[in-house]
Amino acid sequence: MSSETATTTDILVVGGGLGGVAAALAALRRGRSVLLTEETDWIGGQLTSQGVPPDEHTWIERFGSTRSYRELRENIRAYYRTWYPLADWARDARDLNPGQGRVSRLCHEPRAGAAVLEAMVAPWIAAGRLRVLYRHRPVAASVDGDRVTAVVVEGPDGDRLEVRAPYVLDATELGDLLPLTGTEHVTGFESRHDTGEPSAPDEAQPDNMQAFSWVFAVDHRAGEDHTVDRPAGYAAWREYQPPKWPNPLISLRAPDPRTLEPFERAFLPNGDTGPVVADQSKDPGDRELWAFRRIVSRSVFRPGFADSDVTVVNWPMIDYLPGPLIGVSDEERDKHLAGARELSMSMLYWLQTEAPRPDGGTGWPGLRLRGDVMGTTDGLAKAPYIRESRRILSRRRVVEQDLSLAVRGDAGAVEYRDSVGVGMYRIDLHPSTGGDTYIDVASSPFQIPLGALLPQRVRNLLPAGKNIGTTHITNGCYRLHPVEWNVGEVAGALAAHCMAGGLEPGQVHEQGDRLAAFQDELAADGVELAWPTIKGY
């Protein structure tokens, strides 16, 4: 049992996902001390503990991210070049893609991402400037007027630590600090009458949120039987058909997100999938599921090194739709988490026993869970993959018509005077807990406005992840890996900038000379503030 009950730091970052890590590094580079908390035993969030390879835009190898995000990507490639027996062609490839997956130009094991992020923060820990508390979650907060004065975090043994800091950053996956601190926020769908968004419903639906998923990884051992025990709820999941879905969820048939026309996906473990096109503007990549999110490809390594590829199952067939994790009781939340795990295991069991094979047979019993690449013993990711968070009511709200290609056309996305970064992805909304199917809208390359990171009232709490001032609709393109990193990096930089200058975030945003000075600081640190003239997709 720890005897420590309280501590102080310059900047408290609650949540060790991509945004949280980027925030911590940005503040540390500017001379501040940081305490970072994380609910699991891995930092990295969606990249690591949630098991999802990077979702990125077409131009990511050249521009469209912060310098530090590109360093993360290149550090991951260097990790493989240093420690893995790569084939000569792969070792020499500038754009090494270890998994040869179609979803991204950099598909890799979650454990590799975790190792690299640990290496990136290690020097700061050694210097005594960074403290990381693993397996800690926020449980309470103290507030004085419009300022957060302390946050209480709880460890695995029930020990509680009160952390006081001039600035508190919420980088949790679900925006957990927002209700704890009384920070005004919104959940689910806003109404069209409120936002003016073409894809929004007539009435607000605060309980209607994107599905979350419990991801897992598998390889295939031909001639072996690795069939898991039949899940207790398998029969019910086998028959489960969501609203507006053309067939039972557990199958290889699902709607095309962009057209909503149903089609049968191919699935052939270790099959010859041909040349990999990892370009979302040309090919969504999900027609053949084995290569879609493949994170280990035998072809990348020396002959004989790997007996099987490894692929991540993060498909629409494991999207959990019966209910959200936000705005429900602890009992209901635990029920949904358990349900998502059982749905994923039911999908695996179906793949092993019932899935149609090209040779006319059924089932792939050689599919084997690879919990080792996920850092778990049960084979599933350490944490569920979260697509949608609580979102602050911000000084600037990003809406669909700011960046929709159909609305903006050749004019491109709205240019914000307070831009603090860039991003690009289609508005990609998975089916939701309220029964909606995909909302998939072509986007223009967009900017990240500083106003979306500033709560309307609270003065020293900043969002550092998917909880910024987007709408349900625009969260669909602001939630991806490089954008979350950019948001976190700016939040950490802003907190440090304000401490150094005796300022508050609102002053930086409102006063033109101070905003320009902060933007210059970001640009010098490798944060891109604008796009070249290109068209979205």
Side-chain angles (χ1 to χ4, degrees):
M1 296 281 289
S2 171
S3 60
E4 184 181 27
T5 59
T7 192
T8 60
T9 187
D10 287 342
I11 297 171
L12 169 63
V13 182
V14 181
L18 284 175
V21 174
L25 290 171
L28 290 161
R29 289 196 301 272
R30 289 163 173 81
R32 311 319 304 190
S33 64
V34 176
L35 192 151
L36 173 67
T37 72
E38 164 54 32
E39 285 200 42
T40 72
D41 58 358
W42 274 1
I43 54 174
Q46 59 178 320
L47 185 74
T48 61
S49 60
Q50 297 175 27
V52 180
D55 286 298
E56 300 170 329
H57 57 72
T58 298
W59 306 280
I60 193 67
E61 298 291 344
R62 292 180 289 152
F63 50 79
S65 75
T66 72
R67 179 193 301 150
S68 64
Y69 183 77
R70 287 194 293 274
E71 289 172 353
L72 167 63
R73 298 177 85 255
E74 290 310 307
N75 287 342
I76 291 171
R77 285 174 168 149
Y79 180 87
Y80 279 90
R81 292 189 180 105
T82 300
W83 300 111
Y84 285 66
L86 299 176
D88 290 343
W89 70 266
R91 187 174 302 280
D92 295 340
R94 182 179 179 277
D95 57 348
L96 171 64
N97 188 349
Q100 291 286 287
R102 297 186 187 277
V103 74
S104 169
R105 287 182 164 88
L106 182 62
C107 290
H108 59 84
E109 301 155 82
R111 63 189 299 274
V116 168
L117 287 168
E118 289 284 354
M120 290 175 72
V121 302
W124 302 105
I125 295 173
R129 299 263 305 284
L130 171 66
R131 183 179 177 187
V132 182
L133 297 180
Y134 292 99
R135 300 174 67 197
H136 278 70
R137 64 186 183 90
V139 293
S142 299
V143 177
D144 182 6
D146 294 340
R147 299 187 69 86
V148 179
T149 57
V151 174
V152 178
V153 295
E154 184 177 86
D157 297 326
D159 291 344
R160 293 193 171 192
L161 176 67
E162 181 184 75
V163 186
R164 292 183 170 270
Y167 280 90
V168 175
L169 276 53
D170 184 350
T172 61
E173 297 298 325
L174 295 171
D176 292 334
L177 286 187
L178 304 185
L180 289 178
T181 59
T183 302
E184 291 79 5
H185 62 278
V186 66
T187 63
F189 275 91
E190 295 90 347
S191 75
R192 184 180 302 118
H193 303 292
D194 176 18
T195 67
E197 295 174 303
S199 300
D202 288 335
E203 302 293 332
Q205 300 170 12
D207 297 326
N208 190 2
M209 305 171 209
Q210 279 196 80
F212 67 96
S213 304
W214 216 304
V215 173
F216 60 93
V218 291
D219 64 8
H220 184 256
R221 318 294 292 188
E224 299 179 11
D225 189 346
H226 294 278
T227 305
V228 298
D229 294 337
R230 178 184 168 108
Y234 178 73
W237 283 117
R238 183 69 181 84
E239 301 301 319
Y240 175 66
Q241 183 168 344
K244 302 180 183 178
W245 208 255
N247 45 261
L249 187 62
I250 292 183
S251 71
L252 295 178
R253 185 175 177 81
D256 182 312
R258 301 184 185 185
T259 68
L260 300 184
E261 291 297 318
F263 71 93
E264 194 85 5
R265 270 73 168 179
F267 180 71
L268 181 61
N270 290 322
D272 181 5
T273 52
V276 171
V277 178
D279 184 343
Q280 294 282 315
S281 70
K282 297 181 174 63
D283 175 16
D286 62 347
R287 297 278 166 169
E288 199 290 315
L289 294 173
W290 183 261
F292 180 37
R293 294 184 183 271
R294 184 170 51 194
I295 56 173
V296 174
S297 174
R298 295 170 300 166
S299 66
V300 168
F301 305 103
R302 294 175 188 165
F305 173 70
D307 294 330
S308 174
D309 301 339
V310 180
T311 195
V312 165
V313 176
N314 177 24
W315 310 337
M317 300 79 170
I318 64 165
D319 284 357
Y320 182 83
L321 298 166
L325 298 176
I326 295 172
V328 297
S329 67
D330 290 346
E331 181 181 10
E332 189 77 0
R333 181 179 184 272
D334 289 345
K335 183 185 80 171
H336 291 322
L337 289 170
R341 295 175 67 90
E342 187 175 67
L343 169 59
S344 293
M345 292 303 291
S346 294
M347 182 68 203
L348 173 61
Y349 182 78
W350 180 82
L351 287 170
Q352 292 172 325
T353 61
E354 296 189 53
R357 299 196 310 258
D359 64 5
T362 55
W364 302 92
L367 291 174
R368 181 179 64 163
L369 280 169
R370 289 296 303 271
D372 51 343
V373 304
M374 292 289 186
T376 63
T377 57
D378 63 12
L380 299 178
K382 290 177 180 288
Y385 174 37
I386 304 297
R387 297 183 175 90
E388 184 170 345
S389 172
R390 300 174 180 90
R391 303 178 299 281
I392 64 165
L393 289 180
S394 58
R395 299 191 179 198
R396 171 75 192 229
R397 181 171 59 181
V398 179
V399 293
E400 179 182 1
Q401 55 271 31
D402 284 357
L403 52 92
S404 163
L405 190 59
V407 173
R408 299 292 301 175
D410 292 337
V414 169
E415 294 185 7
Y416 304 120
R417 73 166 186 89
D418 58 342
S419 173
V420 288
V422 297
M424 170 60 201
Y425 209 73
R426 289 177 68 91
I427 293 176
D428 172 23
L429 295 174
H430 280 235
S432 66
T433 58
D436 293 274
T437 187
Y438 290 102
I439 298 175
D440 194 288
V441 177
S443 299
S444 303
F446 54 82
Q447 296 173 332
I448 304 168
L450 180 60
L453 276 70
L454 302 187
Q456 293 177 353
R457 179 183 60 84
V458 180
R459 295 156 61 189
N460 70 327
L461 181 143
L462 297 171
K466 295 184 284 290
N467 51 354
I468 65 170
T470 60
T471 63
H472 172 85
I473 302 295
T474 55
N475 164 72
C477 59
Y478 273 73
R479 66 181 173 82
L480 287 312
H481 300 63
V483 181
E484 182 188 349
W485 182 278
N486 194 150
V487 167
E489 184 169 346
V490 169
L494 179 61
H497 179 86
C498 288
M499 291 189 70
L503 302 170
E504 291 200 350
Q507 293 175 293
V508 175
H509 184 243
E510 294 161 5
Q511 300 174 17
D513 56 340
R514 287 176 169 163
L515 174 62
F518 180 57
Q519 289 173 317
D520 287 345
E521 177 186 314
L522 292 176
D525 203 28
V527 177
E528 298 178 17
L529 305 181
W531 285 93
T533 303
I534 52 175
K535 190 171 182 178
Y537 53 87

